[in-house]
Amino acid sequence: MKPLTTTYVSIDKESLDEGSKLDFDVYSANPSKTHMSLHLQSGSVLNHEQRQNLEAIERLYIVKEALPKYKKFIKEHIKKAHDGAVNDVEARTVDIYVNATKAVNDIFSNPESLKNVKAIHHVVDDLVDTVLQDDMAIETLLKLIAHDYYTHTHSINVSIYALSFGAFLKMDDAKLKDLGVSALMHDLGKSKIALEIINKPGKLTDEEFTELKKHPLVGYLLAKRLGVSSPDVLSGIKHHHEKVDGTGYPDRIKGEELSLFAKIIGICDIFDALSTKRSYKDPLSTFETLYLMKQHMSHHLDMKLLDEFIKMFKRQEKDSSLP
């Protein structure tokens, strides 16, 4: 066991395919997050049993110094998936995605650091600039999305969906960057909620759910303390669990009282939660998720906005090789 004197960076375990040869050590943390254990050694080839065992581990890490090797590994992962070379857009997007993973991990580890919120802004600037320059960047980002749910990757996934949707809605770049920041930070308040509640498999007790429901307000207050002043950004953080019928939380606002950012992040938040794997449920397909949202969440979501979200996926399926 190694104490946390070294800087560790969380990675997407979905990128570790059976048969992958690793050029970096992979670590897992003990439940209290005070020590790291070497889980996979550099030079090893991931066999079937090892890949299966990864499903029981919430999060994997590498040391910060191994980031260049991990980025190269991810690029090879995309190359294999595409059965071809990684182009410049894909390579640049991979770099940004890995940087986003580190930035989100850092801000959840230390949610009161001004340095960490600046890193979030920098990552979003890079994401938006890349997306606006080339539509292929959105395809690459959607292919990189992790399919297992945990708070950090969920925040990145929601940000990617929100940026893709914002670009589809033809938001200007300044608005798009604010949306990306709000989406990346929308669950920041969970950093102050007990891990036993955040990571609990299955249904929460009433007391646990009451505690979890504090996270939008806690995240809003943390963001304000870090100097976030944009009403749009703050509303996305505070109100992404509000519902159009006024039964959401924390303020029970409804309808047109909800900001566009809150509505967009609310849609993306639910979409990712339903379409990613949890310890207690299998993921729904994109079609199943959108169908469920459309048929059963009219009291919750802005249906006109959801229709546009569905159109975005239809266009991507038509114009790309996305499954």
Side-chain angles (χ1 to χ4, degrees):
M1 299 281 280
K2 295 178 67 176
L4 297 182
T5 53
T6 305
T7 301
Y8 293 87
V9 180
S10 63
I11 63 172
D12 173 18
K13 68 182 180 184
E14 288 300 307
S15 64
L16 305 182
D17 294 326
E18 184 178 335
S20 296
K21 183 174 181 179
L22 305 180
D23 294 325
F24 44 84
D25 292 333
V26 177
Y27 298 86
S28 58
N30 69 336
S32 63
K33 303 290 193 296
T34 56
H35 288 78
M36 290 285 184
S37 297
L38 180 62
H39 192 79
L40 295 167
Q41 193 167 17
S42 176
S44 61
V45 177
L46 204 62
N47 62 36
H48 179 73
E49 182 179 357
Q50 289 171 323
R51 184 64 191 86
Q52 291 294 108
N53 290 340
L54 294 184
E55 297 303 318
I57 300 172
E58 179 196 4
R59 197 169 305 147
L60 297 173
Y61 300 85
I62 58 173
V63 296
K64 182 180 178 181
E65 290 73 17
L67 270 174
K69 290 182 178 179
Y70 177 65
K71 289 179 181 179
K72 181 180 178 182
F73 177 83
I74 291 289
K75 289 169 187 173
E76 289 299 316
H77 177 75
I78 292 178
K79 181 179 178 180
K80 185 167 64 173
H82 288 209
D83 195 26
V86 177
N87 61 39
D88 290 343
V89 174
E90 291 168 335
R92 186 168 66 250
T93 306
V94 167
D95 286 341
I96 296 170
Y97 181 85
V98 174
N99 291 340
T101 302
K102 180 182 183 305
V104 172
N105 182 65
D106 288 346
I107 200 167
F108 272 85
S109 300
N110 187 358
E112 297 179 45
S113 167
L114 185 59
K115 175 185 175 183
N116 290 339
V117 78
K118 286 180 177 177
I120 290 289
H121 280 271
H122 181 70
V123 163
V124 171
D125 286 350
D126 287 346
L127 276 169
V128 172
D129 289 344
T130 302
V131 164
L132 291 178
Q133 287 173 17
D134 200 312
D135 289 341
M136 283 186 62
I138 293 178
E139 290 184 32
T140 303
L141 286 169
L142 291 173
K143 286 168 182 167
L144 286 170
I145 279 176
H147 299 292
D148 273 350
Y149 181 103
Y150 57 88
T151 301
H152 297 204
T153 52
H154 171 67
S155 295
I156 297 171
N157 294 357
V158 170
S159 182
I160 290 171
Y161 288 130
L163 286 173
S164 301
F165 192 29
F168 179 78
L169 295 175
K170 301 191 184 307
M171 283 185 180
D172 63 56
D173 57 349
K175 205 79 166 174
L176 208 51
K177 288 177 180 180
D178 278 349
L179 178 62
V181 169
S182 188
L184 265 182
M185 296 178 69
H186 82 282
D187 269 348
L188 183 60
K190 286 185 178 178
S191 64
K192 298 295 186 180
I193 306 296
L195 282 175
E196 292 77 15
I197 295 175
I198 299 295
N199 296 331
K200 181 179 179 179
K203 188 176 181 179
L204 300 176
T205 65
D206 290 344
E207 293 79 11
E208 289 168 337
F209 187 53
T210 297
E211 184 67 18
L212 181 65
K213 283 165 62 176
K214 295 177 181 177
H215 81 268
L217 179 57
V218 172
Y220 165 81
L221 294 173
L222 282 170
K224 287 194 73 174
R225 201 177 304 154
L226 287 166
V228 176
S229 58
S230 164
D232 285 334
V233 174
L234 292 171
S235 72
I237 295 170
K238 189 179 183 183
H239 293 143
H240 65 276
H241 280 296
E242 300 287 359
K243 299 180 182 180
V244 294
D245 67 358
T247 61
Y249 58 89
D251 294 328
R252 298 181 69 86
I253 59 176
K254 62 182 180 179
E256 294 308 309
E257 296 174 289
L258 288 168
S259 72
L260 179 61
F261 277 28
K263 291 176 181 178
I264 288 175
I265 294 173
I267 287 172
C268 297
D269 181 49
I270 291 171
F271 179 83
D272 187 63
L274 292 173
S275 61
T276 50
K277 183 178 180 180
R278 310 290 284 267
S279 59
Y280 53 88
K281 76 166 186 71
D282 290 327
L284 298 179
S285 69
T286 296
F287 175 80
E288 291 169 331
T289 302
L290 294 173
Y291 181 82
L292 188 154
M293 292 169 73
K294 179 70 174 173
Q295 295 298 316
H296 300 287
M297 297 188 182
S298 59
H299 67 292
H300 189 157
L301 305 172
D302 183 316
M303 287 291 108
K304 290 183 179 178
L305 206 56
L306 180 60
D307 286 341
E308 294 300 311
F309 190 68
I310 293 169
K311 288 178 187 176
M312 177 188 75
F313 277 95
K314 286 181 177 178
R315 190 180 77 175
Q316 285 166 348
E317 289 175 358
K318 180 180 178 182
D319 295 345
S320 76
S321 58
L322 283 172

